[in-house]
Amino acid sequence: MKSLYLDPFSGVSGNMLLGTLFDLGLNFEDFKKELAKLEVTGYELTLTKTAKSAIKGHLFEVTLSAEFKGHHTDEGAEKVHHHGRNLATIESIINDSSLSESVKKSACVVFEEIAKAEAQVHGKKIDEIHFHEVGAIDSIVDVVGFFIGLELLKIDKVICGTLVDGTGTIKVAHGVMPVPVPAVMQMRINSEVPFRQREDVLTELVTPTGFGIIKLVTDTFGGIPDNLVVEQVGYGFGTRETGSLNALRGCLCNSLLSNQRVTQEQDQIMLIETNLDDVTGEELSDATQILLEEGAKDVWTEPIIMKKGRPAYKLCLLAAPTKSEELVKMLFKKTPSIGVRQQLMSRKIMQRSVKSVKTRFGDIHVKYLSYDGFSKISLEHDELVDLARKNKVAVRELRNRIMEFVQNN
C-alpha cells in the first residue's frame, strides 16, 4: 500500500499540493493529458524545478490567457477575479468530462464543501452566488488536478500533520479579511483537522482550496506511523513571500516493511498464531491486509483440520516484540479469534537495502541482500506485474531482463 504523508508546516494551497506531487514523481505530460479531459480552456500550466532556502522542489502555476488576465497563485489577492462560476456549473464541467469516476466524485465533494462555507460566510444560498475564488479556472485545475495526481501516482492513503496558518489580515476580492480567512474558519467547524497559527507570519498560509482538499482526502491526522517506510521526500512551493520557507513537504511511504533498510544479521521476532474455523475467505483476506498495515512483518495462513474433523485455518504472523500486544488486540478485533499463541524466537536475517532503479521498462525497486559475504538481489513482484502490463511482456521475461540489467550496472 502506498501512502502520502503531508507536512503542512507552512500551510497548504492548491498549487503547493500539486507542486509536491510533481516533486514526488508525478509525470507532467501524463498529468496534462488527463487534465485535458476537462475540456476547459483559457490557461497554461508551468512547472518549474527551483530551490528556496537551499531546498530543491517544484513550483506549479496556472497562467491565465490574456482575455482572463491575472496570474494564479491560489494565495494572492492581486489576482484579477473573473468569470465566477456557481457550484452547479462547476459540477457540470467535471461530471461531463471523461475523467475517472473517482476523480469526478472527489473534486465535486471538495467544491461543495468550499461552496457551502462561502455561502454561509456571505449569508446566501449556494445557487445565489458566484464564487470567484471557487469557480475560477485556476481553482478548478488545482482541485481536479490534485485528484488526478493521486490516481496517477497510485496513492491509496493520505496522512496529514497539523495545518499551520498565519495571523493578521489579507486583502481578497471582498475586501480585507482576517486570517484564517472566513471560509477556512467556517470549514473548521466540527472538523477534526488539527490547526494552529504562527504569530510571526502576518498573512494567509492556508487557503480555502487547500483546506477543502485536506479535509476530504486525509484518512488520518498526526505523524508518520511507525509501520510506514519513507521512500521519497518532495517539496511544493507557494508563491507568497512569508518571511520563511513557504513550502509543503510530502513523503511517499510504503507499508511494506520488507522495503525497510536492515543492517543487522540477527534479531528477535514474535510468532503469533490463532486457529480459525468460523471465518470466510474474504474476512481472512481483509484481516491479513490490516495486520500488515498495522506493522506485522509477515502474515500467512495454513489450512488445518481441527477437532471433530472441521476444516479450518491457522493465521500466523511475525512481529517485533514491541508490536506484539498491539497486533494481538487487532487480531481479536478483526477476526473471530478468542485466543492466540505467542513464541519469542531468534532470527537470522540478511542485511537489506532498497533502491529505485531506472530501466528502459520503467522504474522499479531493487532489494540488495547480503549475509556473511554472500549477496543477491530481488525485485518487487507487484511492480514487475505493472511494468509487464505496460510493456506487454511476460512477467518472467521482464524479470530476467531487469535482473540482467541491474547485475551489469
Side-chain angles (χ1 to χ4, degrees):
M1 173 178 283
K2 185 184 292 187
S3 298
L4 170 65
Y5 179 77
L6 296 172
D7 180 11
F9 64 88
S10 184
V12 62
S13 63
N15 62 323
M16 290 167 73
L17 283 162
L18 275 166
T20 301
L21 293 186
F22 285 118
D23 206 44
L24 289 171
L26 176 60
N27 184 280
F28 193 38
E29 295 305 317
D30 291 345
F31 171 81
K32 288 191 291 186
K33 288 178 183 176
E34 284 298 303
L35 193 64
K37 294 178 180 179
L38 270 179
E39 298 185 359
V40 172
T41 59
Y43 68 91
E44 291 183 1
L45 306 180
T46 57
L47 181 64
T48 308
K49 190 171 184 179
T50 184
K52 294 188 178 184
S53 300
I55 295 176
K56 294 187 296 182
H58 277 83
L59 175 64
F60 173 77
E61 296 178 284
V62 181
T63 304
L64 305 178
S65 301
E67 64 267 28
F68 295 111
K69 300 182 180 180
H71 186 263
H72 166 72
T73 66
D74 190 34
E75 302 171 315
E78 302 78 11
K79 177 174 62 177
V80 177
H81 295 285
H82 50 74
H83 294 262
R85 296 179 172 90
N86 63 18
L87 181 61
T89 303
I90 297 168
E91 289 177 335
S92 293
I93 292 172
I94 295 171
N95 288 323
D96 290 344
S97 73
S98 57
L99 290 164
S100 73
E101 290 303 314
S102 175
V103 169
K104 291 182 195 179
K105 181 179 178 180
S106 298
C108 285
V109 171
V110 169
F111 276 115
E112 183 178 4
E113 176 75 19
I114 301 172
K116 285 180 179 178
E118 294 281 4
Q120 185 67 29
V121 166
H122 297 299
K124 297 182 179 181
K125 296 180 180 179
I126 289 179
D127 57 1
E128 292 178 332
I129 60 176
H130 287 69
F131 308 100
H132 296 294
E133 289 88 350
V134 174
I137 291 173
D138 39 22
S139 295
I140 294 174
V141 169
D142 284 344
V143 174
V144 175
F146 179 73
F147 292 105
I148 288 173
L150 289 185
E151 192 170 83
L152 289 175
L153 287 174
K154 298 182 179 179
I155 291 171
D156 305 293
K157 183 177 182 180
V158 177
I159 305 162
C160 186
T162 299
L163 267 66
V164 179
D165 206 347
T167 54
T169 60
I170 184 173
K171 185 178 180 182
V172 297
H174 303 289
V176 177
M177 298 288 181
V179 175
V181 295
V184 168
M185 285 300 295
Q186 188 65 34
M187 284 188 282
R188 286 181 62 188
I189 294 177
N190 296 323
S191 168
E192 65 173 347
V193 181
F195 202 97
R196 71 177 179 87
Q197 292 177 253
R198 287 179 56 176
E199 298 292 334
D200 61 321
V201 177
L202 302 178
T203 187
E204 173 195 41
L205 295 178
V206 177
T207 69
T209 300
F211 190 93
I213 292 173
I214 292 296
K215 187 175 180 179
L216 170 71
V217 78
T218 303
D219 298 281
T220 307
F221 292 98
I224 300 176
D226 58 9
N227 64 307
L228 294 183
V229 178
V230 176
E231 294 187 328
Q232 194 173 349
V233 180
Y235 293 84
F237 296 126
T239 55
R240 177 175 288 119
E241 293 299 326
T242 65
S244 59
L245 176 62
N246 186 17
L248 173 68
R249 178 163 57 193
C251 305
L252 280 183
C253 305
N254 198 318
S255 61
L256 293 176
L257 293 180
S258 60
N259 283 352
Q260 198 168 30
R261 182 179 177 85
V262 176
T263 56
Q264 70 270 33
E265 292 185 343
Q266 63 181 16
D267 67 358
Q268 286 192 316
I269 199 77
M270 189 72 77
L271 172 63
I272 304 171
E273 301 175 337
T274 185
N275 294 351
L276 303 169
D277 64 354
D278 54 351
V279 64
T280 67
E282 290 86 354
E283 290 170 336
L284 203 55
S285 175
D286 291 342
T288 298
Q289 186 61 41
I290 290 170
L291 290 166
L292 286 169
E293 291 173 7
E294 292 298 322
K297 291 181 179 295
D298 199 3
V299 182
W300 70 95
T301 57
E302 301 174 5
I304 58 174
I305 301 296
M306 293 180 62
K307 58 186 176 182
K308 298 182 181 180
R310 290 197 301 261
Y313 292 101
K314 180 166 68 173
L315 177 60
C316 312
L317 62 98
L318 298 178
T322 55
K323 292 284 292 185
S324 61
E325 182 61 26
E326 179 182 339
L327 290 167
V328 166
K329 290 179 181 178
M330 189 61 62
L331 262 175
F332 287 144
K333 183 178 180 180
K334 298 297 182 181
T335 74
S337 174
I338 58 174
V340 302
R341 302 176 296 278
Q342 295 187 135
Q343 184 178 0
L344 185 63
M345 299 177 165
S346 62
R347 182 174 67 152
K348 293 287 187 180
I349 51 178
M350 299 190 76
Q351 294 181 321
R352 178 175 64 235
S353 64
V354 181
K355 296 180 182 178
S356 180
V357 176
K358 292 184 179 296
T359 75
R360 66 187 182 91
F361 304 102
D363 294 353
I364 190 168
H365 287 93
V366 179
K367 294 180 188 177
Y368 295 85
L369 306 150
S370 64
Y371 181 83
D372 193 26
F374 169 74
S375 63
K376 61 183 179 181
I377 60 175
S378 67
L379 309 174
E380 282 292 344
H381 180 72
D382 288 347
E383 293 180 349
L384 270 175
V385 172
D386 286 342
L387 289 180
R389 283 200 195 100
K390 291 177 182 177
N391 291 276
K392 298 180 179 179
V393 178
V395 173
R396 182 179 293 276
E397 180 183 352
L398 183 63
R399 180 191 296 275
N400 292 339
R401 291 187 185 182
I402 292 179
M403 293 288 278
E404 182 181 1
F405 171 80
V406 173
Q407 290 167 345
N408 292 334
N409 289 274

